[in-house]
Amino acid sequence: EDQVTQSPEALRLQEGESSSLNCSYTVSGLRGLFWYRQDPGKGPEFLFTLYSAGEEKEKERLKATLTKKESFLHITAPKPEDSATYLCAVQAETGGYQKVTFGIGTKLQVIP
Amino acid sequence: DSGVTQTPKHLITATGQRVTLRCSPRSGDLSVYWYQQSLDQGLQFLIQYYNGEERAKGNILERFSAQQFPDLHSELNLSSLELGDSALYFCASSHDSSSYEQYFGPGTRLTVT
């Protein structure tokens, strides 16, 4: 069964204090790994897709990287508006079917 | 704004009842996905439709069903509702069936009393 584990569950940072969120996965037939941002009571907002080990993508203060077993979301000099829950998801193909599995998320709080 | 619309925003109903949630995908998107998000289980994939046909199935209960219509909007039907069905239900859309980038709607909050 496909598994996605995110750590830590919660993270509190001071404004400007850089850190990384981890997403480890166990899937067969990986097609892609996604990062989403979710604000309370709202739908997830797409951030990145990574397809293969070694790939990196950046958007403002966020940088996502991928290895064969995990992905990191690096947050550089975060601001309070970066506070949200960050979700990782993997898409895998099994028996001709494609399925997306989400992790529980990391709740990030950035203190001014 | 992702361009995905969902109605209603909130729904309160009693156990044993049946409800229908509606989703309109972004313009040009052919795939629609349904997810359930509860506090203790995170985001759970339910089902995917692509251009009117079922494409993938996740942890969807037999009491739940969905369909995608010719105009590409989708409906999720939940029947014989139980207290445990209370959750946020999200619809997402993507351009094709590969779902590499999904855009989520604002969700429908279902409360079963």
Side-chain angles (χ1 to χ4, degrees), chain B residues 11-30:
Chain B
L11 199 49
I12 302 174
T13 189
T15 54
Q17 295 299 305
R18 172 190 167 98
V19 297
T20 297
L21 313 183
R22 183 188 168 103
C23 167
S24 292
R26 289 188 322 161
S27 176
D29 283 358
L30 300 177

Side-chain angles (χ1 to χ4, degrees), chain A residues 4-110:
Chain A
V4 178
T5 304
Q6 291 188 247
S7 62
E9 286 187 15
L11 182 61
R12 198 172 181 192
L13 299 173
Q14 290 292 324
E15 184 172 0
E17 179 187 1
S18 301
S19 187
S20 295
L21 314 183
N22 176 264
C23 170
S24 62
Y25 59 90
T26 306
V27 298
S28 53
L30 180 72
R31 289 290 179 263
L33 183 141
F34 318 107
W35 283 98
Y36 287 85
R37 169 197 169 120
Q38 186 174 24
D39 292 302
K42 296 191 175 180
E45 175 190 343
F46 172 78
L47 293 174
F48 304 109
T49 303
L50 301 167
Y51 297 103
S52 57
E55 191 174 357
E56 297 183 354
K57 288 198 176 166
E58 283 188 69
K59 181 180 179 178
E60 296 178 357
R61 295 177 292 283
L62 301 177
K63 178 179 175 181
T65 62
L66 180 65
T67 71
K68 286 188 177 178
K69 292 187 177 181
E70 58 190 350
S71 176
F72 292 93
L73 185 65
H74 307 277
I75 304 178
T76 302
K79 297 183 178 181
E81 53 262 42
D82 295 322
S83 298
T85 296
Y86 290 85
L87 301 171
C88 169
V90 296
Q91 180 176 351
E93 182 169 339
T94 306
Y97 263 118
Q98 304 230 18
K99 182 184 169 184
V100 178
T101 304
F102 276 80
I104 297 291
T106 293
K107 187 173 182 179
L108 173 67
Q109 184 182 16
V110 182

Side-chain angles (χ1 to χ4, degrees), chain B residues 4-98:
Chain B
V4 178
T5 60
Q6 288 187 249
T7 56
K9 272 191 156 180
H10 303 276
L11 199 49
I12 302 174
T13 189
T15 54
Q17 295 299 305
R18 172 190 167 98
V19 297
T20 297
L21 313 183
R22 183 188 168 103
C23 167
S24 292
R26 289 188 322 161
S27 176
D29 283 358
L30 300 177
S31 270
V32 170
Y33 312 79
W34 286 98
Y35 293 87
Q36 179 190 59
Q37 188 174 42
S38 52
L39 280 173
D40 57 345
Q41 289 203 358
L43 207 58
Q44 299 287 318
F45 168 68
L46 297 178
I47 198 163
Q48 176 198 359
Y49 278 82
Y50 173 73
N51 207 20
E53 293 188 2
E54 182 182 304
R55 181 55 67 103
K57 221 169 189 177
N59 304 318
I60 188 165
L61 300 172
E62 285 192 15
R63 300 184 285 109
F64 296 0
S65 65
Q67 54 185 326
Q68 186 179 28
F69 295 87
D71 67 353
L72 301 177
H73 91 271
S74 178
E75 292 181 357
L76 178 67
N77 300 297
L78 315 176
S79 61
S80 303
L81 285 168
E82 302 174 358
L83 294 177
D85 297 328
S86 295
L88 263 171
Y89 290 84
F90 288 107
C91 166
S93 73
S94 69
H95 180 65
D96 56 28
S97 62
S98 300

